[in-house]
């Protein structure tokens, strides 16, 4: 088979004209149906196809001039690749989610959370496992349990149940014991860091932590140890919380399949937990940690929280530090808590929000959490065309609207879709940034070490993204600008918008592109035993309103208080 390759100074050149000529010959021979002439085929580097999927038309002279500049471009590519960029180096261009005229809420101090009194130490192990953060804080203050004993309790549950759930990559046991003892000593000395003092937690294993592997869930990085404490863990340490486990994530933050296994749903061990914050949702749901930290780029808090029946907060972009976190998409990655109630989410969020000198993307904004709220005083919208559809879990979602009305909410119809905006096309922003973040993995061919290898898995998506041009990436971001303005116009007159978590078109992708915050909470259970969810969507930097409405809904229902039976036993 002949191989055609044009070069300049030994560097292959792109020639669309030549490719199209050979392609036409091959098509003509194939169309004759004659077996007399031998089939003419050409083996051409994959780079020869680079212009083909872009629907661009250049004449012969234009293509010749393009070819003459390709060598310089390829030399530039080679110099860039030789420089050596770690995943932690961000682009100089930073995403700004603020619409025109938007006023960021002024900075507010940390909230002095009320710790209830006279909380009794439960006699049944499972009751302790599923206590809220304020209840656990009360037990610690009353000396019913020490920080060390509580830490050991959750470490034991993690050891006991992880073989069923596969939700832990690494236990940070040695560190956790030392930290818990330190927290006890501080309380004995009269030092109280606040409501999270002595409370154990898990963190998705894309956050770096010295002395322990940071695997990113992928075989290519399973031995990686990073000598850095992620900003989110620093903030929780400062609040007195105790890291007990690095929880699983689908490889490189996709799905629930990681290098050693698949993380499972505590409510139904026949299905995965979803992801990519797989272990954080699974462990929290099963009462193996009081709360955990997850991340979302396009559904990675919403999806596993739905599957596992947890309460997840995806904050506004720029709210929570990402320093020391694996980068997937610099302009879309967001960090948030996964808990068992909206109130617990508010508590954790208050501790992790705010500036970090090692993260330039953060915006200094206040957090106004009203606590108990009268829903009749709020403008609450609902995504009407989405709720009007008949889908598998529509009965649960419609019942949620009825509950909100009983609580006094006057639900106002709103639409979140525009016929003019190409929502899904803008997902190339994520793919291009992810491919850049893992450029070296692709070029080294170590992407074969990832478990999932199919058309929709990261290895192929990274390769395919090489054909996203800089022009198309920038154009997609320009459309994103219009999307941000469009969503702001739709949402700005509402305090909260209720929406199905997944139904109704492009809401999940759109709000990850615009950076609007969302709280996802359980709102029922399917026949399989798996939970369903509803989402409360808010304006930029107004996590307080959506958390308060979600808390009111949870106070009127009991879905978030239910426990997976397998992990609610005394044995």
């Amino acid at each position: 088979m002949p191989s055609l390759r044009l070069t300049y100074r030994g560097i292959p050149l792109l020639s669309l004209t030549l490719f199209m000529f050979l392609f036409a010959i091959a098509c003509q021979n194939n169309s004759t149906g004659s077996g007399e002439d031998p089939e003419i085929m050409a083996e051409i580097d994959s780079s020869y196809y680079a212009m083909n999927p872009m629907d661009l038309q250049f004449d012969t002279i234009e293509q010749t001039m393009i070819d003459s500049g390709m060598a310089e471009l390829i030399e530039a590519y080679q110099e860039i690749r030789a420089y050596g960029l770690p995943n932690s180096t961000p682009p100089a261009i930073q995403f700004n989610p603020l619409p025109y005229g938007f006023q960021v809420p002024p900075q507010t101090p940390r909230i002095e959370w009320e710790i209830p009194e006279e909380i009794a130490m439960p006699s049944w192990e499972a009751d302790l496992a599923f206590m809220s953060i304020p209840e656990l804080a009360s037990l610690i203050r009353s000396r019913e349990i020490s920080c060390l004993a509580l830490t050991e309790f959750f470490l034991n549950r993690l050891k006991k149940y992880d073989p069923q759930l596969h939700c832990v990559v690494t236990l940070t046991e040695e560190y956790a014991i030392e930290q818990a003892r330190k927290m006890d000593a501080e309380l004995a000395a009269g030092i109280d860091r606040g409501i999270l003092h002595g409370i154990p937690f898990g963190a998705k294993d894309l956050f770096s932590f010295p002395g322990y592997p940071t695997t990113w869930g992928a075989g290519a990085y399973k031995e990686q140890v990073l000598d850095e404490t992620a900003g989110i863990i620093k903030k929780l340490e400062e609040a007195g919380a105790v890291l007990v486990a690095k929880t699983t994530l689908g490889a490189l933050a996709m799905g629930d399949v990681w290098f050693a296994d698949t993380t499972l749903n505590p409510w139904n061990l026949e299905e995965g937990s979803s992801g990519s914050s797989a272990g954080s949702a699974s462990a929290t749901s099963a009462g193996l940690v009081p709360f955990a930290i997850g991340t979302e780029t396009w559904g990675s808090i919403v999806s596993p929280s739905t599957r596992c029946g947890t309460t997840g907060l995806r904050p506004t972009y720029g709210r929570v530090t990402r320093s020391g976190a694996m980068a997937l998409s610099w302009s879309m990655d967001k960090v948030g808590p996964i808990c068992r109630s909206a109130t617990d989410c508010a508590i954790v969020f208050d501790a992790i929000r705010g500036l970090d000198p090692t993260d330039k993307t953060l915006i200094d904004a206040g957090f106004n959490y009203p606590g108990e709220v009268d829903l009749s005083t709020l403008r609450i919208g609902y995504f009407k065309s989405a709720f009007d559809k008949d889908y598998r879990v529509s009965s649960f979602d419609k019942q949620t609207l009825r509950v909100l009305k009983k609580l006094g909410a006057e639900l106002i119809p709103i639409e979140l879709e525009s016929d003019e905006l190409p929502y899904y096309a803008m997902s190339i922003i994520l793919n291009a940034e992810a491919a850049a973040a893992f450029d070296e993995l692709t070029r080294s061919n170590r992407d074969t070490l990832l478990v999932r290898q199919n058309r929709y898995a990261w290895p192929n998506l990274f390769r395919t993204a090489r054909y996203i041009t800089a022009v198309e990436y920038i154009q997609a971001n320009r459309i994103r600008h219009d999307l941000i303005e469009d969503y702001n116009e739709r949402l700005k007159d509402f305090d909260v918008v209720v929406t199905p978590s997944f139904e109704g078109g492009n809401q999940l992708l759109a709000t990850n592109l615009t950076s609007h915050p969302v709280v996802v909470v359980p709102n029922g259970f399917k026949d399989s035993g798996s939970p369903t969810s509803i989402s409360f969507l808010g304006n930029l930097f107004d996590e307080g309103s959506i958390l308060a409405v979600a808390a009111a809904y949870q106070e009127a229902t009991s879905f978030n208080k239910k426990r997976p039976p397998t992990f609610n036993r005394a044995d």
Side-chain angles (χ1 to χ4, degrees), residues 100 418 420-422 426 475-489 514:
Y100 293 116
S418 167
E420 298 177 358
L421 289 166
M426 283 182 276
Q475 299 297 66
N477 270 293
R478 294 175 70 191
I479 299 171
R480 185 181 187 181
H481 164 277
D482 290 352
L483 172 65
I484 289 169
E485 296 298 327
D486 179 78
Y487 251 76
N488 181 57
E489 283 298 313
T514 63

Side-chain angles (χ1 to χ4, degrees), residues 229-270:
T229 301
I232 186 80
I233 297 177
K234 285 182 182 178
K235 284 185 175 290
L236 286 168
E237 279 184 334
E238 291 167 1
V242 179
L243 177 67
V244 292
K246 303 194 76 180
T247 56
T248 59
L249 66 153
L252 306 184
M254 178 187 283
D256 49 28
V257 178
W258 52 294
F259 65 84
D261 222 307
T262 299
T263 302
L264 300 180
N265 174 13
W267 292 94
N268 181 358
L269 295 175
E270 298 298 314

Side-chain angles (χ1 to χ4, degrees), residues 296 301-302 312-316 497 499 507-508 511 516-520 534-538 543 546:
E296 174 154 325
I301 288 176
V302 171
L313 169 65
R314 182 193 75 208
T316 307
V497 171
T499 176
Q507 172 272 132
L508 186 59
T511 54
H516 285 84
V518 71
V519 179
V520 58
I534 196 74
S535 290
F536 297 94
L537 181 65
E543 289 81 3
I546 57 176

Side-chain angles (χ1 to χ4, degrees), residues 61 145 169 182 224 235 249 294 303 382 416 440 448 546 564:
I61 295 174
I145 193 169
V169 179
K182 179 181 176 182
Q224 175 177 251
K235 284 185 175 290
L249 66 153
S303 187
Y382 73 103
L416 298 176
E440 189 276 334
T448 58
I546 57 176

Side-chain angles (χ1 to χ4, degrees), residues 25-102:
I25 293 175
C27 290
Q28 182 178 18
N29 284 344
N30 289 337
S31 66
T32 62
S34 169
E36 296 178 6
D37 296 328
E39 181 178 87
I40 298 176
M41 298 181 66
E43 180 183 355
I44 303 174
D45 288 345
S46 60
S47 60
Y48 281 79
Y49 294 89
M51 300 294 287
N52 196 38
M54 298 166 198
D55 195 28
L56 295 172
Q57 303 297 324
F58 299 116
D59 63 30
T60 302
I61 295 174
E62 291 169 333
Q63 187 59 48
T64 300
M65 287 190 288
I66 290 172
D67 288 348
S68 67
M70 285 303 298
E72 293 180 4
L73 285 179
I74 294 174
E75 286 177 346
Y77 300 160
Q78 291 174 341
E79 288 183 18
I80 289 170
R81 293 165 186 167
Y83 180 80
L85 285 166
N87 179 272
S88 58
T89 301
I93 300 173
Q94 293 181 19
F95 170 64
N96 184 343
L98 302 184
Y100 293 116
F102 184 86

Side-chain angles (χ1 to χ4, degrees), residues 295-540:
T295 64
E296 174 154 325
T297 309
W298 183 1
S300 288
I301 288 176
V302 171
S303 187
S305 290
T306 296
R307 182 71 61 84
C308 298
T310 52
T311 300
L313 169 65
R314 182 193 75 208
T316 307
Y317 178 92
R319 268 295 207 177
V320 181
T321 177
R322 301 177 303 179
S323 71
M326 182 201 86
L328 181 66
S329 170
W330 289 281
S331 73
M332 293 178 67
D333 292 343
K334 296 162 284 288
V335 179
I338 295 177
C339 305
R340 289 189 293 271
S341 73
T343 300
D344 281 3
C345 277
I347 290 168
V348 177
F349 174 68
D350 189 42
I352 63 178
R353 67 181 176 89
L355 298 180
D356 178 344
T358 59
D359 185 345
K360 297 179 181 179
T361 67
L362 296 174
I363 298 173
D364 196 9
F367 174 46
N368 298 300
Y369 181 66
E372 292 186 12
V373 64
D374 181 354
L375 269 58
S376 67
T377 65
L378 301 178
R379 281 184 59 84
I380 301 178
Y382 73 103
F383 189 0
K384 184 178 186 304
S385 63
F387 281 101
D388 286 346
K389 294 179 180 178
D390 185 19
Y391 48 93
R392 282 191 308 159
V393 295
S394 60
S395 61
F396 299 106
D397 292 353
K398 289 179 175 64
Q399 177 60 24
T400 297
L401 297 183
R402 288 190 284 269
V403 171
L404 293 172
K405 288 179 180 178
K406 286 182 180 179
L407 292 174
E410 179 184 348
L411 299 178
I412 305 166
I414 181 177
E415 294 303 326
L416 298 176
E417 298 281 286
S418 167
D419 293 334
E420 298 177 358
L421 289 166
Y423 297 95
Y424 188 77
M426 283 182 276
S427 68
I428 70 168
I429 294 170
L430 165 57
N431 290 349
E433 293 182 8
F438 291 99
D439 169 54
E440 189 276 334
L441 177 71
T442 301
R443 290 186 294 103
S444 69
N445 206 38
R446 291 189 304 121
D447 54 2
T448 58
L449 296 174
L450 273 65
V451 175
R452 293 182 66 236
Q453 298 283 338
N454 59 49
R455 177 184 174 187
Y456 300 105
W458 278 137
N460 187 61
L461 293 177
F462 292 160
R463 297 174 202 129
T464 305
R466 309 303 295 223
Y467 294 88
I468 300 171
T469 70
V471 173
E472 264 64 44
Y473 171 76
I474 292 172
Q475 299 297 66
N477 270 293
R478 294 175 70 191
I479 299 171
R480 185 181 187 181
H481 164 277
D482 290 352
L483 172 65
I484 289 169
E485 296 298 327
D486 179 78
Y487 251 76
N488 181 57
E489 283 298 313
R490 294 173 188 274
L491 295 180
K492 66 181 183 180
D493 294 327
F494 293 90
D495 296 297
V496 176
V497 171
V498 190
T499 176
S501 297
F502 296 99
E503 302 297 331
N506 300 286
Q507 172 272 132
L508 186 59
L509 172 59
T511 54
N512 270 291
L513 287 163
T514 63
S515 303
H516 285 84
V518 71
V519 179
V520 58
V521 303
N523 70 338
F525 292 88
K526 296 181 285 190
D527 291 341
S528 65
S530 296
T532 59
S533 79
I534 196 74
S535 290
F536 297 94
L537 181 65
N539 283 290
L540 297 177

